[in-house]
Amino acid sequence: DYLVQKATPQEILAFKASEEADKRAQQLMDRNNAGTLTREEQVELEQILQAEQLVKVLKARALAALKRQ
């Protein structure tokens, strides 16, 4: 909710997942590619990918807002 309601376009564009989150996502993607994900890990990976997609959309909107200014 913070990114949607409170963050400035500049803050949204600067948002980056933590190094730890990036490493976990990569681990899950590697396990997925190897076919060794558990059901829980599959759910976790799907949630991470959905969150990444949301951030991409928010960044696109933030960039558009900056261009309109």
Side-chain angles (χ1 to χ4, degrees):
D1 287 337
Y2 172 79
L3 285 177
V4 174
Q5 297 176 0
K6 304 286 185 190
T8 66
Q10 293 87 350
E11 290 170 328
I12 292 170
L13 290 171
F15 176 80
K16 185 176 182 235
S18 70
E19 188 175 322
E20 181 179 305
D22 284 342
K23 284 181 183 178
R24 179 62 178 157
Q26 188 60 53
Q27 289 172 342
L28 292 172
M29 287 187 283
D30 290 344
R31 289 177 57 90
N32 186 51
N33 289 339
T36 58
L37 273 184
T38 66
R39 178 68 186 135
E40 292 80 18
E41 289 171 329
Q42 183 178 7
V43 169
E44 183 182 357
L45 179 57
E46 289 171 3
Q47 290 172 342
I48 290 169
L49 294 175
Q50 288 173 354
E52 286 179 358
Q53 184 62 32
L54 175 60
V55 170
K56 287 178 185 179
V57 169
L58 292 173
K59 285 187 175 196
R61 290 181 183 172
L63 186 57
L66 285 176
K67 288 181 178 181
R68 287 192 301 268
Q69 291 181 354

